[in-house]
Amino acid sequence: MKIKPLVTATALGLGLGLGTAGLASAAQVTHLGGDITEEQVLSAQQAWGDALVAISNTYEAEGIDAARELAQEVIDSAYGYDMGAVLFKPTLAAAPQTFRTTPAGALAYFVGHSDEYSEDSGFALKGWQEVTIENAAILISGDVALTMGNVSILDADGNTTTVDKTWGYHLDDEGTLRIVLHHSSLPFSPEE
């Protein structure tokens, strides 16, 4: 299964029609020119959320090999590793492997089972059922789009994990938005 444009990965590439990712309208959209539309950005975000749930469901139904294969396809189609290093800082990655600038690092984070990244347990294998994305703002300029907001992920037990998420997209030569920046962190909670 080859996933082509990220903006159509959910419905066409994965063929899943899961409807698992929800999007709230951005509080603020700044468009400084270029060919990227807000709809493309929202579609790319939804495709990422649907892919996360699909990897989790694939793991549950078919095991680690099938989940790894799907995760690799998602990384190859959604992220811009073929254009250079991706600025990927996962939520639960620790030094000295905090930053995942290579496809191998991203794959290990999503599905674990890596000798090189032995601390990774596989973020995408946690029984995720639904992803909701709420943008605080979107900035579009030329062939780059940046987003910042919250991503809430529902697990099989009904627990929701919310992370602060920043994505940077680059419009590639085929007209596909590719993730070139992915920063995720747990929200700050001041001690009481």
Side-chain angles (χ1 to χ4, degrees), residues 43-130:
S43 216
Q45 290 178 319
Q46 182 168 344
W48 184 91
D50 286 348
L52 179 65
V53 171
I55 295 165
S56 194
N57 289 339
T58 299
Y59 175 66
E60 290 295 321
E62 302 175 43
I64 187 59
D65 291 337
R68 182 183 294 113
E69 182 178 331
L70 179 56
Q72 186 64 63
E73 290 175 18
V74 168
I75 290 166
D76 290 346
S77 68
Y79 289 82
Y81 285 107
D82 61 338
M83 296 184 277
V86 170
L87 310 177
F88 181 17
K89 190 279 178 197
T91 311
L92 302 174
Q97 298 176 322
T98 303
F99 305 105
R100 304 303 174 89
T101 59
T102 66
L107 183 64
Y109 184 73
F110 284 115
V111 297
H113 299 83
S114 167
D115 292 336
E116 185 180 353
Y117 297 90
S118 59
E119 297 296 316
D120 289 350
S121 61
F123 173 75
L125 309 180
K126 305 294 184 197
W128 304 122
Q129 302 296 305
E130 184 177 286

Side-chain angles (χ1 to χ4, degrees), residues 120-165:
D120 289 350
S121 61
F123 173 75
L125 309 180
K126 305 294 184 197
W128 304 122
Q129 302 296 305
E130 184 177 286
V131 177
T132 304
I133 300 166
E134 186 173 341
N135 291 304
I138 297 173
L139 171 70
I140 300 169
S141 180
D143 59 2
V144 172
L146 304 172
T147 69
M148 185 177 359
N150 296 115
V151 174
S152 298
I153 310 169
L154 179 70
D155 70 18
D157 296 326
N159 300 309
T160 300
T161 300
T162 299
V163 296
D164 298 336
K165 182 86 67 183

